[in-house]
Amino acid sequence: MLESEAAIFSAIVSVPFGYIGVRSEGNFISELVYLPPRFQEKAPTDKISEQAAQQIESYIEQADFRFKLALKPAGSVFQHKVWNAISSIPRGEVRTYGQIAKHIQSAPRAVGQACGANWYPLVIPCHRVTAAAGLGGFAHHDDETGFHLGVKRWLLTHEQVAGYTQESLWAAK
């Protein structure tokens, strides 16, 4: 890891699939980022990133944990519509891009784009949105063996989503 890469984060939290970078501005979380294993932990530099780090650790320990963080406003009106729909998906369940699109009267591709533009993964659980015929993409990545889909697989397994066991998620399609 380059020191300059870590410098943009107010904290870097170790999680089973790598790390989560926390960015803060003032009293708000401004971004959460899934980071690969080449990063290292970084102690929080302010109170809000310390809160975020503690809450991320609580979620890793207990998938039912509910985040309560001050998030910096981000995204378009449409993205908020998608993110609100995603936030209503209970732990242990998934919805398809098409189901979300129908619910908000939009198109599945637009829902996928809004999912990928999520500044606050875990808090807004975009990993709970899948394709109609399988896992789908994640964070604008769709490489079956890539880091981001590995994160999605881990999160769905962690949340014990019915039909999504670690073995079935890693099986060749």
PDB file of all heavy atoms in Angstrom, residues 115-133:
ATOM      1  N   CYS A 115     -26.975   1.718  -7.817  1.00  0.00           N
ATOM      2  CA  CYS A 115     -26.344   0.839  -6.821  1.00  0.00           C
ATOM      3  C   CYS A 115     -24.832   1.030  -6.841  1.00  0.00           C
ATOM      4  O   CYS A 115     -24.194   1.163  -5.802  1.00  0.00           O
ATOM      5  CB  CYS A 115     -26.661  -0.628  -7.108  1.00  0.00           C
ATOM      6  SG  CYS A 115     -28.329  -1.136  -6.709  1.00  0.00           S
ATOM      7  N   GLY A 116     -24.256   1.047  -8.032  1.00  0.00           N
ATOM      8  CA  GLY A 116     -22.817   1.192  -8.169  1.00  0.00           C
ATOM      9  C   GLY A 116     -22.303   2.548  -7.713  1.00  0.00           C
ATOM     10  O   GLY A 116     -21.129   2.698  -7.382  1.00  0.00           O
ATOM     11  N   ALA A 117     -23.173   3.546  -7.690  1.00  0.00           N
ATOM     12  CA  ALA A 117     -22.782   4.898  -7.294  1.00  0.00           C
ATOM     13  C   ALA A 117     -22.967   5.145  -5.796  1.00  0.00           C
ATOM     14  O   ALA A 117     -22.790   6.264  -5.323  1.00  0.00           O
ATOM     15  CB  ALA A 117     -23.592   5.926  -8.085  1.00  0.00           C
ATOM     16  N   ASN A 118     -23.299   4.111  -5.051  1.00  0.00           N
ATOM     17  CA  ASN A 118     -23.544   4.208  -3.612  1.00  0.00           C
ATOM     18  C   ASN A 118     -22.270   4.628  -2.873  1.00  0.00           C
ATOM     19  O   ASN A 118     -21.283   3.912  -2.872  1.00  0.00           O
ATOM     20  CB  ASN A 118     -24.046   2.841  -3.120  1.00  0.00           C
ATOM     21  CG  ASN A 118     -24.303   2.795  -1.640  1.00  0.00           C
ATOM     22  OD1 ASN A 118     -24.213   3.790  -0.936  1.00  0.00           O
ATOM     23  ND2 ASN A 118     -24.632   1.615  -1.166  1.00  0.00           N
ATOM     24  N   TRP A 119     -22.323   5.762  -2.193  1.00  0.00           N
ATOM     25  CA  TRP A 119     -21.174   6.270  -1.434  1.00  0.00           C
ATOM     26  C   TRP A 119     -21.029   5.579  -0.074  1.00  0.00           C
ATOM     27  O   TRP A 119     -19.990   5.687   0.569  1.00  0.00           O
ATOM     28  CB  TRP A 119     -21.343   7.779  -1.190  1.00  0.00           C
ATOM     29  CG  TRP A 119     -21.155   8.606  -2.410  1.00  0.00           C
ATOM     30  CD1 TRP A 119     -22.094   8.855  -3.382  1.00  0.00           C
ATOM     31  CD2 TRP A 119     -19.977   9.270  -2.825  1.00  0.00           C
ATOM     32  NE1 TRP A 119     -21.552   9.639  -4.362  1.00  0.00           N
ATOM     33  CE2 TRP A 119     -20.247   9.922  -4.038  1.00  0.00           C
ATOM     34  CE3 TRP A 119     -18.705   9.392  -2.271  1.00  0.00           C
ATOM     35  CZ2 TRP A 119     -19.305  10.676  -4.718  1.00  0.00           C
ATOM     36  CZ3 TRP A 119     -17.770  10.156  -2.947  1.00  0.00           C
ATOM     37  CH2 TRP A 119     -18.075  10.781  -4.146  1.00  0.00           C
ATOM     38  N   TYR A 120     -22.086   4.874   0.352  1.00  0.00           N
ATOM     39  CA  TYR A 120     -22.104   4.345   1.718  1.00  0.00           C
ATOM     40  C   TYR A 120     -22.466   2.852   1.770  1.00  0.00           C
ATOM     41  O   TYR A 120     -23.456   2.465   2.393  1.00  0.00           O
ATOM     42  CB  TYR A 120     -23.081   5.172   2.574  1.00  0.00           C
ATOM     43  CG  TYR A 120     -22.801   6.641   2.482  1.00  0.00           C
ATOM     44  CD1 TYR A 120     -23.650   7.493   1.785  1.00  0.00           C
ATOM     45  CD2 TYR A 120     -21.646   7.170   3.045  1.00  0.00           C
ATOM     46  CE1 TYR A 120     -23.361   8.849   1.680  1.00  0.00           C
ATOM     47  CE2 TYR A 120     -21.353   8.518   2.934  1.00  0.00           C
ATOM     48  CZ  TYR A 120     -22.207   9.354   2.247  1.00  0.00           C
ATOM     49  OH  TYR A 120     -21.922  10.686   2.130  1.00  0.00           O
ATOM     50  N   PRO A 121     -21.663   1.995   1.105  1.00  0.00           N
ATOM     51  CA  PRO A 121     -21.971   0.575   1.180  1.00  0.00           C
ATOM     52  C   PRO A 121     -21.932   0.090   2.632  1.00  0.00           C
ATOM     53  O   PRO A 121     -21.259   0.689   3.459  1.00  0.00           O
ATOM     54  CB  PRO A 121     -20.878  -0.076   0.334  1.00  0.00           C
ATOM     55  CG  PRO A 121     -19.771   0.917   0.268  1.00  0.00           C
ATOM     56  CD  PRO A 121     -20.414   2.276   0.399  1.00  0.00           C
ATOM     57  N   LEU A 122     -22.634  -0.926   2.907  1.00  0.00           N
ATOM     58  CA  LEU A 122     -22.962  -1.477   4.221  1.00  0.00           C
ATOM     59  C   LEU A 122     -24.086  -0.655   4.846  1.00  0.00           C
ATOM     60  O   LEU A 122     -25.098  -1.216   5.237  1.00  0.00           O
ATOM     61  CB  LEU A 122     -21.787  -1.553   5.195  1.00  0.00           C
ATOM     62  CG  LEU A 122     -20.730  -2.601   4.967  1.00  0.00           C
ATOM     63  CD1 LEU A 122     -19.754  -2.641   6.142  1.00  0.00           C
ATOM     64  CD2 LEU A 122     -21.307  -3.965   4.746  1.00  0.00           C
ATOM     65  N   VAL A 123     -23.927   0.658   4.956  1.00  0.00           N
ATOM     66  CA  VAL A 123     -24.989   1.500   5.515  1.00  0.00           C
ATOM     67  C   VAL A 123     -26.199   1.458   4.583  1.00  0.00           C
ATOM     68  O   VAL A 123     -27.332   1.282   5.024  1.00  0.00           O
ATOM     69  CB  VAL A 123     -24.501   2.948   5.730  1.00  0.00           C
ATOM     70  CG1 VAL A 123     -25.626   3.829   6.251  1.00  0.00           C
ATOM     71  CG2 VAL A 123     -23.309   2.975   6.679  1.00  0.00           C
ATOM     72  N   ILE A 124     -25.972   1.635   3.294  1.00  0.00           N
ATOM     73  CA  ILE A 124     -26.985   1.421   2.258  1.00  0.00           C
ATOM     74  C   ILE A 124     -26.590   0.095   1.608  1.00  0.00           C
ATOM     75  O   ILE A 124     -25.649   0.040   0.826  1.00  0.00           O
ATOM     76  CB  ILE A 124     -26.998   2.572   1.227  1.00  0.00           C
ATOM     77  CG1 ILE A 124     -27.309   3.910   1.917  1.00  0.00           C
ATOM     78  CG2 ILE A 124     -28.014   2.269   0.119  1.00  0.00           C
ATOM     79  CD1 ILE A 124     -27.128   5.130   1.045  1.00  0.00           C
ATOM     80  N   PRO A 125     -27.269  -1.003   1.965  1.00  0.00           N
ATOM     81  CA  PRO A 125     -26.794  -2.352   1.639  1.00  0.00           C
ATOM     82  C   PRO A 125     -27.032  -2.778   0.189  1.00  0.00           C
ATOM     83  O   PRO A 125     -27.830  -3.671  -0.101  1.00  0.00           O
ATOM     84  CB  PRO A 125     -27.568  -3.225   2.625  1.00  0.00           C
ATOM     85  CG  PRO A 125     -28.848  -2.483   2.833  1.00  0.00           C
ATOM     86  CD  PRO A 125     -28.483  -1.022   2.784  1.00  0.00           C
ATOM     87  N   CYS A 126     -26.306  -2.182  -0.735  1.00  0.00           N
ATOM     88  CA  CYS A 126     -26.480  -2.492  -2.154  1.00  0.00           C
ATOM     89  C   CYS A 126     -26.102  -3.935  -2.482  1.00  0.00           C
ATOM     90  O   CYS A 126     -26.500  -4.452  -3.528  1.00  0.00           O
ATOM     91  CB  CYS A 126     -25.711  -1.503  -3.021  1.00  0.00           C
ATOM     92  SG  CYS A 126     -23.983  -1.320  -2.581  1.00  0.00           S
ATOM     93  N   HIS A 127     -25.382  -4.604  -1.591  1.00  0.00           N
ATOM     94  CA  HIS A 127     -25.063  -6.014  -1.814  1.00  0.00           C
ATOM     95  C   HIS A 127     -26.322  -6.879  -1.784  1.00  0.00           C
ATOM     96  O   HIS A 127     -26.302  -8.008  -2.266  1.00  0.00           O
ATOM     97  CB  HIS A 127     -24.038  -6.516  -0.774  1.00  0.00           C
ATOM     98  CG  HIS A 127     -24.483  -6.380   0.633  1.00  0.00           C
ATOM     99  ND1 HIS A 127     -24.339  -5.200   1.349  1.00  0.00           N
ATOM    100  CD2 HIS A 127     -25.090  -7.257   1.472  1.00  0.00           C
ATOM    101  CE1 HIS A 127     -24.830  -5.374   2.572  1.00  0.00           C
ATOM    102  NE2 HIS A 127     -25.297  -6.612   2.668  1.00  0.00           N
ATOM    103  N   ARG A 128     -27.417  -6.355  -1.275  1.00  0.00           N
ATOM    104  CA  ARG A 128     -28.674  -7.097  -1.220  1.00  0.00           C
ATOM    105  C   ARG A 128     -29.471  -7.023  -2.522  1.00  0.00           C
ATOM    106  O   ARG A 128     -30.601  -7.501  -2.587  1.00  0.00           O
ATOM    107  CB  ARG A 128     -29.532  -6.595  -0.063  1.00  0.00           C
ATOM    108  CG  ARG A 128     -28.899  -6.836   1.298  1.00  0.00           C
ATOM    109  CD  ARG A 128     -29.745  -6.318   2.420  1.00  0.00           C
ATOM    110  NE  ARG A 128     -29.013  -6.421   3.684  1.00  0.00           N
ATOM    111  CZ  ARG A 128     -29.297  -5.706   4.765  1.00  0.00           C
ATOM    112  NH1 ARG A 128     -30.303  -4.858   4.758  1.00  0.00           N
ATOM    113  NH2 ARG A 128     -28.578  -5.853   5.864  1.00  0.00           N
ATOM    114  N   VAL A 129     -28.891  -6.413  -3.545  1.00  0.00           N
ATOM    115  CA  VAL A 129     -29.540  -6.336  -4.853  1.00  0.00           C
ATOM    116  C   VAL A 129     -28.771  -7.239  -5.819  1.00  0.00           C
ATOM    117  O   VAL A 129     -27.556  -7.110  -5.960  1.00  0.00           O
ATOM    118  CB  VAL A 129     -29.588  -4.888  -5.384  1.00  0.00           C
ATOM    119  CG1 VAL A 129     -30.329  -4.822  -6.710  1.00  0.00           C
ATOM    120  CG2 VAL A 129     -30.243  -3.964  -4.360  1.00  0.00           C
ATOM    121  N   THR A 130     -29.510  -8.165  -6.457  1.00  0.00           N
ATOM    122  CA  THR A 130     -28.888  -9.153  -7.336  1.00  0.00           C
ATOM    123  C   THR A 130     -29.557  -9.127  -8.709  1.00  0.00           C
ATOM    124  O   THR A 130     -30.619  -8.528  -8.887  1.00  0.00           O
ATOM    125  CB  THR A 130     -29.017 -10.571  -6.748  1.00  0.00           C
ATOM    126  OG1 THR A 130     -30.403 -10.910  -6.643  1.00  0.00           O
ATOM    127  CG2 THR A 130     -28.356 -10.675  -5.376  1.00  0.00           C
ATOM    128  N   ALA A 131     -28.936  -9.815  -9.643  1.00  0.00           N
ATOM    129  CA  ALA A 131     -29.537  -9.992 -10.964  1.00  0.00           C
ATOM    130  C   ALA A 131     -30.648 -11.036 -10.864  1.00  0.00           C
ATOM    131  O   ALA A 131     -30.687 -11.830  -9.920  1.00  0.00           O
ATOM    132  CB  ALA A 131     -28.472 -10.437 -11.957  1.00  0.00           C
ATOM    133  N   ALA A 132     -31.530 -11.074 -11.846  1.00  0.00           N
ATOM    134  CA  ALA A 132     -32.624 -12.052 -11.844  1.00  0.00           C
ATOM    135  C   ALA A 132     -32.088 -13.479 -11.950  1.00  0.00           C
ATOM    136  O   ALA A 132     -32.682 -14.404 -11.407  1.00  0.00           O
ATOM    137  CB  ALA A 132     -33.583 -11.758 -12.998  1.00  0.00           C
ATOM    138  N   ALA A 133     -30.960 -13.646 -12.614  1.00  0.00           N
ATOM    139  CA  ALA A 133     -30.418 -14.988 -12.849  1.00  0.00           C
ATOM    140  C   ALA A 133     -29.121 -15.247 -12.094  1.00  0.00           C
ATOM    141  O   ALA A 133     -28.298 -16.033 -12.534  1.00  0.00           O
ATOM    142  CB  ALA A 133     -30.214 -15.196 -14.343  1.00  0.00           C
TER     143      ALA A 133
END
